[in-house]
């Protein structure tokens, strides 16, 4: 496959890619720390994955195989759009198979299949600042990160437990990276948080509108915030996938009729199809 | 299978885009609108798209308006995305608006001033009555007699006030200005970064904020010191030549607001200024920008920062309509994974609430 | 005499033509309560801000001796070190509870915040300590999950004190802690502060224009006027036998009222 000759390989010019890669390197060196970068306007709107796209564009080589998922699925509209974009401007091979991909760009999920060394998971991040709901000012949150002043985040968890009996954060559940930086895992369900811990693959996070890049290098400790006597517990619907029968994957709830009937199916389409093929 | 319908697909996207293209063209029996017509006849729309798209190119802006079906934010977005791909040669020299070929210049603080008041092209003082003759128009209107641009450079009102010591002269801090297209905003922001941000900012947002300062939210008693509009030369020094050359000229609108100021512990009472500059004839935007620029100086002038327009981070982080529209519209994207986890939690909570609250203490 | 906890010398500060601090010095010993009194504009609040490192003086120095006996020049400390101090060894009680509390966070969360900020990670333990401190400031611990905004002014102020004292600071700075409260509520609050401070052996710097509050709480008094300390000494001595005409005026105006 070849790429559109009207654009540089993977859309961005080489100078911009170098700038993004420098930010990525810095992010990898300081795990969990948000590195500001000169995000560019992209042909896709802000909030639709411009940060992830810029990171992917900057690390992609002609030999890479790209997988793009949104909500765990390869066939959601935005995933299709981004995959098409890269096959057009980079001409790289694309796949829906997690195991065949070298770069996986994702919105809101981590694939069920454990990732391996050499793979890169690129997250699209809407709000990189884990403290933004508690403190909207970047000048203040930057100071809090510098001083590792995270008492406020714990106050939030305390309030949840006092009010509801447990932490009410279901997705975008904050994590401590390498015992130093509080980090937003992007809006993945809390169910996916444990997968980030000691992951053999490199995890890169790109926030285009907020112009930040951060990273979790392979085999880094990623701990979901909790209390000793209220430990973090990931949750999923207590059901089996209607297609593949999986009881350990994250499930989407699908309303199938107008009488309240519903079924549960794997949100990770590749995981589900792989299991269905194996069963046949 | 329900599954495919839920997840959507490539064919659906292609069809949706096809349909949109059809909507754009409208009834094929009506002649298509030409880019040149937009450029010539929807000039203020072109100006706004260039300003918010942060790219001075009238014909590209006109193309973007056509492609966006007249949605000016979408058009500015198209222009910005295109701008990203352009190679950068370097920085032009600061525009010298003192030597502008002025076609419009008004001051609300001096009845008359050297060079006089030049009304120029304006909608001010028109009656806003729909002109049905325009709907029936078949032939071009007779060209109005052009008001000659001022020959002599006109002295700026800000310079007149500064010469009397009544308003601090704007001075070059000597620092290289940041480039917001290359570096993200950082706070506290320099004045140069603020002005860049505002110049690209959404006209409606700045208008609302500027308006709020007039209604007591960060009141700064503004007067229009001067609005000037006209052509200025763009100059550039190519490193390989080592001397400045003129690349051409562009139309810009500049606004200097003069504001009351009571003086501080360290400064005698004097006027302070707010500054606005936009590409094209975006006079409303230039005025709004000047109001907001002045409001954002509250901190350095030792005023209380209590109003939204005085809150640097609030203003500058939310002024860009390309960023704003993207993030607002991204709510259309599927969020079912997040929503699913919310469902799990709310069910758990409801179960907890229904059971005796033993694990709460 | 013990080594001072806080030692300030030769503090000078001007705002334009106004003198805010004019050669002010001050020693505060562990467990000692010192009141800084004066009218508004006398420079007492400025002094508090300078002593706590929030404002730098033009001249002079402020030394703080920490729990390990090390001395720190307050204005040369990094922001990180100063913040750490502020949430461990120091506490600040604001005149308005709104400035000192998180109004959208429950009473328990408000008290627990300082514990969590220094690493407490046991929910039950944090909650138990919060409940105990609510009781100590005479708030019914059944209200642990209520938001401070439903509390009365006096309760909010007591909650603020619990929030500060829970981490057992060595030095507490108070800026008009009874300002804006009813007289009867003021008396009760002063009594509570006096008992807690004595129990815990905390050093307190109290800024107030209320001579009665100073008499009740303070071991020593500094009288400020136009940025200068015009008189200082043991509370009883200063109030019963004022030497400076301004102090005499202050004391007599209270007696007359």
């Amino acid at each position: 496959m070849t790429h559109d000759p009207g654009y540089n390989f993977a859309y961005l010019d080489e100078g911009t890619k170098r700038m993004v890669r420098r930010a990525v390197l810095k992010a990898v060196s300081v795990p969990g720390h948000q590195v500001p970068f000169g995000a560019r306007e992209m042909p896709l709107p802000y909030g639709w994955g411009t940060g992830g796209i810029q990171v992917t564009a900057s690390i992609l080589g002609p030999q890479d195989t790209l997988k793009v998922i949104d909500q765990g699925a390869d066939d959601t509209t935005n995933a299709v759009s981004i995959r098409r974009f890269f096959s057009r401007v980079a001409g790289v091979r694309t796949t829906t198979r997690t195991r065949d991909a070298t770069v996986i760009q994702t919105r809101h999920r981590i694939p069920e299949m454990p990732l391996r060394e050499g793979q890169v998971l690129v997250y699209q991040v809407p709000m990189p600042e884990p403290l933004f709901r508690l403190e909207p000012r970047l000048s203040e949150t930057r100071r809090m990160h510098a001083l590792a002043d995270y008492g406020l985040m714990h106050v939030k968890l305390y309030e949840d437990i006092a009010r509801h009996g447990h932490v009410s954060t279901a997705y975008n559940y904050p994590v401590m990276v390498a015992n130093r930086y509080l980090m937003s895992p992007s809006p993945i369900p809390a169910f996916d948080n444990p997968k980030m811990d000691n992951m053999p693959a490199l995890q890169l996070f790109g926030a285009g509108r907020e112009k930040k890049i951060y990273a979790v290098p392979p085999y880094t400790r990623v701990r979901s915030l909790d209390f000793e006597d209220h430990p973090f517990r990931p949750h999923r619907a207590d059901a089996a996938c209607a297609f593949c029968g999986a009881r350990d994957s994250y499930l989407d709830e699908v309303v199938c009729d107008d009488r309240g009937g519903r079924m549960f199916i794997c949100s990770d389409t590749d995981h589900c199809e792989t299991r269905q093929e194996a069963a046949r | 299978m329900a599954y495919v319908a839920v997840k959507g697909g490539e064919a659906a996207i292609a069809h949706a885009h096809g349909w949109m293209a059809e909507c754009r063209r409208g009834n094929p029996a009506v002649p298509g609108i030409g880019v040149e017509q937009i450029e010539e006849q929807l000039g203020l729309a072109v100006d706004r798209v260039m300003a918010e798209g942060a790219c001075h190119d009238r014909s590209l802006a006109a193309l973007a308006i056509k492609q966006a079906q007249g949605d000016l934010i979408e058009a500015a977005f198209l222009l910005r995305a295109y701008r990203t791909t352009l190679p950068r040669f370097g920085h032009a020299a600061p525009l010298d608006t003192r030597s502008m070929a002025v076609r419009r210049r008004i001051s609300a603080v001096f009845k008359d001033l050297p060079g006089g008041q030049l009304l120029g092209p304006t909608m001010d003082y028109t009656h806003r009555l729909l002109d049905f003759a325009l709907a029936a128009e078949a032939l071009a209107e007779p060209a109005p007699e052009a008001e000659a641009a001022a020959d002599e450079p006109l002295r700026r009102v800000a310079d007149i006030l500064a010469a009397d010591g009544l308003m601090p002269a704007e001075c070059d801090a000597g620092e290289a200005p940041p480039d917001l297209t290359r570096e993200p905003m950082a706070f506290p922001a320099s004045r140069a970064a603020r002005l860049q941000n505002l110049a690209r900012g959404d006209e409606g947002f700045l208008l609302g904020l500027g308006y709020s300062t007039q209604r007591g939210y960060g009141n700064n008693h503004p007067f229009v010191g001067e609005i000037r509009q006209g052509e200025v030369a763009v100059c550039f020094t190519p490193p390989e030549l080592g001397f400045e050359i003129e690349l051409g000229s562009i139309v810009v609108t500049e606004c200097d607001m003069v504001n009351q100021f009571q003086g501080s512990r360290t400064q005698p009472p004097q006027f302070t200024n707010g500054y606005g500059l936009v590409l094209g004839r975006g006079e409303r935007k230039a005025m709004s920008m000047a109001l907001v620029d002045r409001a954002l100086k509250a901190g350095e002038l030792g005023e209380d920062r209590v109003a939204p327009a005085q809150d640097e981070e609030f203003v500058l982080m939310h002024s860009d309509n390309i960023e704003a529209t993207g993030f607002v519209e991204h709510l259309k994207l599927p969020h079912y994974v997040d929503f699913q986890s919310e469902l799990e939690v709310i069910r758990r909570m409801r179960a907890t609430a229904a059971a005796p609250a033993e694990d709460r203490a | 005499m013990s080594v001072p906890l806080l030692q300030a010398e030769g503090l000078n500060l001007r705002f334009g033509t106004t003198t805010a601090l004019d050669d002010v010095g001050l020693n505060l010993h562990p467990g000692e309560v010192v009141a800084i009194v004066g009218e508004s504009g006398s420079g007492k609040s400025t002094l508090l801000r300078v002593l706590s490192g929030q404002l730098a003086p033009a001249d002079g120095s402020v030394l703080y001796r920490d729990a390990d006996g090390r001395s720190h020049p307050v204005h040369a400390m990094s922001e990180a070190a100063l913040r750490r101090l502020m949430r461990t060894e120091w506490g600040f009680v604001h005149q308005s509870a709104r400035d000192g509390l998180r109004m959208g966070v429950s009473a328990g969360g408000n008290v627990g915040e300082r514990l969590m900020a220094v690493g407490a990670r046991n929910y039950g333990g944090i909650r138990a300590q919060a409940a105990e401190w609510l009781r100590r400031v005479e708030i019914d611990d059944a209200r642990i999950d209520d938001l401070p905004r439903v509390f009365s002014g006096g309760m909010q102020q007591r909650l603020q004190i619990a929030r500060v004292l829970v981490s057992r600071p060595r030095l507490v700075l108070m800026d008009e802690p009874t300002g804006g409260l009813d007289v009867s509520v003021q008396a009760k609050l002063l009594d509570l502060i006096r008992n807690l401070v004595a129990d815990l052996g905390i050093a307190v710097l109290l800024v107030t224009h209320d001579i009665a509050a100073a008499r009740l709480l303070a071991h020593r008094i500094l009288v400020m006027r136009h940025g200068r300390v015009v008189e200082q000494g043991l509370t009883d001595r200063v109030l019963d036998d004022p030497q400076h005409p301004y102090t005499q005026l202050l004391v007599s105006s209270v007696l007359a009222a």
Side-chain angles (χ1 to χ4, degrees), chain A residues 84-128:
Chain A
R84 268 204 201 153
F85 174 75
F86 279 114
S87 37
R88 174 169 168 199
V89 299
V92 292
R93 229 170 321 138
T94 60
T95 182
T96 59
R97 294 291 184 194
T98 301
R99 83 163 66 85
D100 296 340
T102 54
V103 176
I104 302 171
Q105 180 167 329
T106 181
R107 176 169 173 265
H108 298 195
R109 275 309 311 273
I110 297 175
E112 304 290 0
M113 167 183 284
L115 300 183
R116 56 167 201 276
E117 283 183 20
Q119 287 182 310
V120 183
L121 184 60
V122 179
Y123 296 75
Q124 299 171 203
V125 181
M127 288 303 279

Side-chain angles (χ1 to χ4, degrees), chain B residues 204-322:
Chain B
F205 181 76
L206 297 184
L207 175 66
L209 280 174
Y211 175 50
S212 73
T213 68
Q214 295 178 276
R215 294 192 63 261
Y217 291 84
N219 201 353
N220 47 34
H221 307 282
F223 300 93
V224 170
E226 180 175 2
I227 291 172
R228 56 168 62 196
Q229 198 177 84
E231 289 195 14
V232 285
V234 179
C235 298
F236 177 63
T237 306
E240 46 287 60
L241 288 184
F243 55 86
E244 193 171 272
I245 54 170
E246 192 177 312
L247 299 177
S249 62
I250 60 175
V251 171
V252 298
T253 303
E254 183 183 50
C255 175
D256 263 302
M257 288 280 181
V258 179
N259 302 269
Q260 220 175 46
F261 177 44
Q262 302 298 337
S264 75
R265 292 177 179 118
T266 51
Q267 288 175 301
Q270 57 188 336
F271 293 115
T272 56
N273 80 331
Y275 183 74
L277 180 84
V278 293
L279 300 180
R281 293 181 289 147
E283 189 167 300
R284 184 190 301 122
K285 160 90 176 270
M287 293 176 74
S288 307
M289 175 175 170
L291 288 174
V292 176
D293 173 51
R294 172 58 187 82
L296 289 176
K297 286 180 170 177
E300 56 236 45
L301 292 173
E303 299 166 338
D304 283 343
R305 279 199 282 196
V306 286
Q310 296 169 324
D311 186 329
E312 174 176 281
E313 200 172 317
F314 177 82
V315 172
L316 301 184
M317 287 306 282
H318 301 120
S319 61
D320 191 292
N321 57 21
I322 313 295

